[in-house]
Every structure is written in structure tokens, then in C-alpha cells.
């Protein structure tokens, strides 16, 4: 009986100690952490119908809608024919910037590529998309053949 009583006392002390644990190591739920957030004006850029060799540049404008500096850590495309360039300096809260994308329009056919943007934002990975279609360069009409004879005006 003494052993059971001793065991119950030890258990009571352990539980009492856990109940009085200082909550300072617990995260404070009411404290708002200042974090950046990236918000794009659009996530898809549609080139529509373009011709081979046309300008394949587009731009994705975004804003830091968070409360801390936004830092883009990487932008990578799904294909080597699509090359993104992005700001390397921190973007302050409330400021806009852009990611420029260059698509190689020498490739004929459907455009369906993605650009993955990585940052320190709450939404730390955003996928952008470019779409459209590259048509072959239009051929110019050949001049009429007049069998080499000079044109005579009367």
C-alpha cells in the first residue's frame, strides 16, 4: 500500500510541475509577425498568335503586399527557350517590381511554359505561365516572271 501511495505522490508532483510550466517558450498567438507577401497583377501572359522571329518579351508585375522586405531568391523556367530575369535587390513593403521573361520565338508551335518564382514571402513559391502560338514567318510573294523581257511602256 505504501508503494502505491508513493507512486501516486510522485505522479501528482510530476503533473503539478507540468501544469505550472512557464508558457514563455510557447509562441504567442496574438503577436503578428512581419512577413513579405508577393502579389502578381496576373499569373498568365498570353502572347496570342505571333510570328516566328517576333519579340518574345513579356513582363510580370508584382507588388510586395506584406510588411517586410521581399527577396526573390530564384526564378527558373520549365525550358531553356524561356529566360526570366528578376530584381536581385530587396523590394520594400508596398513597392512594385517586375520579372521580365524572354521566349525564343524561333521555335514554331504552341507556347506553354512555366516560370517558378521563389522568395522569402509567405507564399514562397508562385508559378507563372506563358501561353500562345508561334506561326511560321509569312513568305513574301515572289515577283511575277516576265521571262526576262523588259517592260515596254507605250
Amino acid at each position: 500500500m505504501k508503494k502505491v501511495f508513493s507512486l501516486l505522490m510522485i505522479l501528482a508532483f510530476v503533473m503539478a510541475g507540468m501544469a505550472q510550466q512557464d508558457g514563455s517558450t510557447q509562441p504567442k498567438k496574438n503577436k503578428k509577425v512581419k512577413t513579405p507577401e508577393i502579389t502578381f497583377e496576373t499569373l498568365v501572359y498570353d502572347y496570342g498568335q505571333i510570328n516566328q522571329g517576333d519579340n518574345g518579351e513579356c513582363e510580370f508585375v508584382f507588388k510586395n503586399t506584406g510588411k517586410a522586405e521581399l527577396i526573390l531568391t530564384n526564378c527558373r523556367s520549365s525550358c531553356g527557350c524561356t529566360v526570366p530575369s528578376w530584381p536581385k535587390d530587396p523590394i520594400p513593403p508596398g513597392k512594385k517590381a517586375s520579372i521580365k521573361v524572354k521566349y525564343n520565338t524561333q521555335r514554331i508551335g504552341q507556347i506553354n511554359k512555366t516560370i517558378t518564382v521563389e522568395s522569402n514571402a509567405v507564399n514562397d513559391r508562385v508559378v507563372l505561365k506563358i501561353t500562345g502560338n508561334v506561326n511560321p514567318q509569312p513568305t513574301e510573294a515572289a515577283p511575277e516572271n516576265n521571262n526576262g523581257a523588259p517592260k515596254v511602256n507605250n
Side-chain angles (χ1 to χ4, degrees):
M1 183 73 167
K2 287 184 180 183
K3 288 182 182 181
V4 173
F5 181 73
S6 297
L7 185 60
L8 286 175
M9 290 300 288
I10 291 172
L11 184 61
F13 282 120
V14 169
M15 291 183 67
M18 290 175 64
Q20 293 180 2
Q21 181 180 18
D22 183 16
S24 63
T25 59
Q26 301 290 329
K28 297 190 181 200
K29 294 179 182 176
N30 293 335
K31 182 179 178 183
K32 292 189 178 191
V33 178
K34 292 184 178 183
T35 57
E37 183 173 356
I38 189 168
T39 304
F40 283 88
E41 290 181 358
T42 182
L43 297 175
V44 179
Y45 183 89
D46 186 1
Y47 287 95
Q49 298 292 322
I50 59 175
N51 291 324
Q52 182 181 16
D54 282 356
N55 183 352
E57 295 177 1
C58 69
E59 187 173 35
F60 289 92
V61 177
F62 63 90
K63 183 177 184 178
N64 179 359
T65 54
K67 302 289 184 192
E69 286 189 333
L70 172 67
I71 299 170
L72 302 185
T73 54
N74 195 16
C75 290
R76 66 179 185 279
S77 65
S78 59
C79 176
C81 61
T82 307
V83 181
S85 61
W86 65 94
K88 307 299 190 267
D89 293 330
I91 295 99
K95 297 296 180 184
K96 287 186 177 185
S98 66
I99 296 170
K100 293 176 177 44
V101 176
K102 175 117 174 105
Y103 179 75
N104 180 0
T105 59
Q106 293 302 317
R107 296 172 153 247
I108 297 171
Q110 193 71 26
I111 304 169
N112 190 15
K113 306 296 178 190
T114 60
I115 299 92
T116 303
V117 180
E118 296 174 349
S119 71
N120 66 333
V122 173
N123 49 337
D124 62 345
R125 185 168 291 162
V126 178
V127 178
L128 307 173
K129 186 174 182 180
I130 59 172
T131 63
N133 191 58
V134 178
N135 300 311
Q137 186 67 29
T139 56
E140 295 182 24
E144 289 184 30
N145 187 358
N146 57 7
N147 296 329
K151 188 174 182 180
V152 179
N153 290 335
N154 290 343

